[in-house]
Amino acid sequence: MAALPIVLIVAIADNGVIGDDNRLIWRLKTDLRRFRSLTLGRPVVMGRKTFLSIGKPLPGRETIVLTRDPGFRPEGVHVAHSLEEALATGQRIGVGMGADSVTVAGGADVYRQALPLSDRLELTLVHATPDGDAVFPEWDRSAFVADGRESHPRSLDDEHPFTFATFRRRA
Ligand SMILES: NC(=O)c1ccc[n+]([C@@H]2O[C@H](COP(=O)([O-])OP(=O)(O)OC[C@H]3O[C@@H](n4cnc5c(N)ncnc54)[C@H](OP(=O)(O)O)[C@@H]3O)[C@@H](O)[C@H]2O)c1
C-alpha cells in the first residue's frame, strides 16, 4: 500500500516567527478552523513543547507526541522517541482510521526535521511582524510547486490579514 502523504501545517509571520514563549501569538479564528479541517480524522505529529502549549490531545484526531524523555507518557496520546518512529506510527494509525494523510503540526524543531520528508505544505502566511523566539526554518522552495493561494483581510475574527498558501513537492 502506498504511504500516506505527509502534510506540514504551519502559520508563519512575514518575519518567520511562529511562536513566542511556547505559545501562539495571534488570534486568527479562520486559521484555527482551517487547522481543524486539515487535521480532523487524521494523525497529528507534534513536539513535546507544542503539545504542552496546547495542553491536551486534540479531539477527533490521534495525537503523536515526540519526546526523548522515556518518562513522558501523557494520557490520550501516542508517544514517539524519534521522528522516524512518529511518522511510522502516523502511517499505521492513519491507515487504520482511513485518513488521507499524516499531518505535522510543529513546532519549530519538528518542522525543521519534517520539512525534507513533507509532501505538502499548508502555510498560513500571517501578514504581521511580531516578536517571537520560535522561527520557521529555511526551506528549499525549489523542491515545491505552489498550488493555490487565498487571501483573507483582517476582520473581527482575525487580528491580522493572512494568506493560505499550499505547496506540493515536485515529482
Ligand atoms: N505558528 C504555528 O503554526 C505553530 C505551530 C506549532 C507550534 N508553534 C510554536 O512553536 C513553538 C514550539 O516549538 P519548539 O521548536 O520550541 O518545540 P517543539 O518542536 O514543539 O518540541 C520540541 C521537543 O520535541 C521533542 N523532539 C523534537 N524532535 C525530536 C526527535 N527527533 N526525537 C525525539 N523527540 C524530539 C523534544 O522533546 P523533549 O525535550 O521532551 O525530549 C524537543 O524538545 C511554540 O512557540 C509554539 O507556539 C507554532
Side-chain angles (χ1 to χ4, degrees), residues 11 18 23 48 50 66-68 81 105 107-111 113:
I18 64 168
R23 57 189 171 81
R48 194 254 312 158
T50 292
L66 266 164
T67 178
R68 294 185 180 88
H81 298 108
D109 187 9
V110 171
Y111 288 140
Q113 300 170 64

Side-chain angles (χ1 to χ4, degrees), residues 12 123 125 136-146 167 170:
I12 315 171
L123 310 186
L125 306 172
F136 195 68
E138 287 299 317
W139 55 287
D140 177 10
R141 280 160 208 252
S142 69
F144 292 89
V145 59
F167 289 84
R170 289 183 192 278

Side-chain angles (χ1 to χ4, degrees), residues 9-13 17-26 31 35 46-51 53-54 65-69 72 80-84 105-113 133-135:
I9 306 164
V10 60
I12 315 171
V17 167
I18 64 168
D20 190 40
D21 201 17
N22 210 26
R23 57 189 171 81
L24 278 184
I25 41 181
W26 38 59
D31 184 49
F35 178 79
M46 65 183 71
R48 194 254 312 158
K49 292 180 185 171
T50 292
F51 173 68
S53 118
I54 296 171
V65 180
L66 266 164
T67 178
R68 294 185 180 88
D69 177 356
F72 187 75
H81 298 108
S82 69
L83 184 64
E84 197 180 36
D109 187 9
V110 171
Y111 288 140
R112 181 181 51 72
Q113 300 170 64
D133 57 15
V135 174

